[in-house]
Amino acid sequence: MGKRIARYALLVSLAMVLSWLESLIVFPGLLPGMKVGLTNLVVVFALYRMSPRDAAAVSLARVALVSLTFGNAYSFAYSLAGAVLSLAVMTGLKRTGRFSILGASIAGGVCHNLGQLGVAMAVLGTARLGGYLPWLMAAGTAVGAAGGVIVDRVRPLP
């Protein structure tokens, strides 16, 4: 039990640090709120090297703690929507046995953006944000692919 808690703490801490680092990275031309998806590395790692339950625990703890530490109610809503949809889709794809880490990570990146776009449309009360969809899908695909390649090369925790 102690080893499991230590793994959770390590992964949640890593996700929080990566989230903070993401907030420091600014690429000119990115859409507002767009990030490079570093925290998704931790969730994909937990999903494929541990279990869906572990990935959910790490992801939800990360969302809650990062929102409390660096964010607000809106950032919590955006983060939670993206995290839940992304993890649900990645877990489903993993369970089929037909998708590699790369494929699931790409789907997770796209779905994370879709979840956040859905919240933005609801909060702002406009469907006009749907114009961002092609850009968000392209970004989710690129970020998910990079993350999938990285996680595929990382060894499991002892």
Side-chain angles (χ1 to χ4, degrees):
M1 182 65 147
K3 192 181 237 187
R4 186 173 176 190
I5 291 171
R7 284 182 182 160
Y8 281 162
L10 176 69
L11 292 176
V12 171
S13 298
L14 179 59
M16 289 183 70
V17 168
L18 291 174
S19 181
W20 174 73
L21 286 173
E22 271 187 331
S23 71
L24 301 177
I25 298 171
V26 178
F27 289 113
L30 286 183
L31 297 173
M34 190 177 282
K35 296 181 182 179
V36 296
L38 295 175
T39 56
N40 196 47
L41 294 171
V42 178
V43 176
V44 174
F45 176 86
L47 178 63
Y48 275 87
R49 301 291 192 246
M50 295 166 73
S51 74
R53 182 178 173 196
D54 294 329
V58 168
S59 184
L60 294 176
R62 189 259 323 159
V63 167
L65 292 172
V66 167
S67 295
L68 286 170
T69 307
F70 307 117
N72 55 42
Y74 289 110
S75 64
F76 177 75
Y78 287 112
S79 222
L80 185 63
V84 168
L85 183 58
S86 173
L87 184 58
V89 168
M90 289 190 298
T91 300
L93 294 178
K94 179 184 183 228
R95 284 190 176 145
T96 69
R98 296 181 182 164
F99 291 86
S100 65
I101 293 174
L102 177 64
S105 183
I106 290 170
V110 169
C111 288
H112 193 278
N113 288 343
L114 291 176
Q116 289 188 329
L117 181 62
V119 169
M121 292 167 89
V123 167
L124 298 175
T126 179
R128 294 184 74 193
L129 293 175
Y132 286 127
L133 187 59
W135 300 106
L136 292 173
M137 291 188 72
T141 299
V143 166
V149 167
I150 290 167
V151 172
D152 192 42
R153 287 173 168 57
V154 174
R155 296 216 178 264
L157 292 170

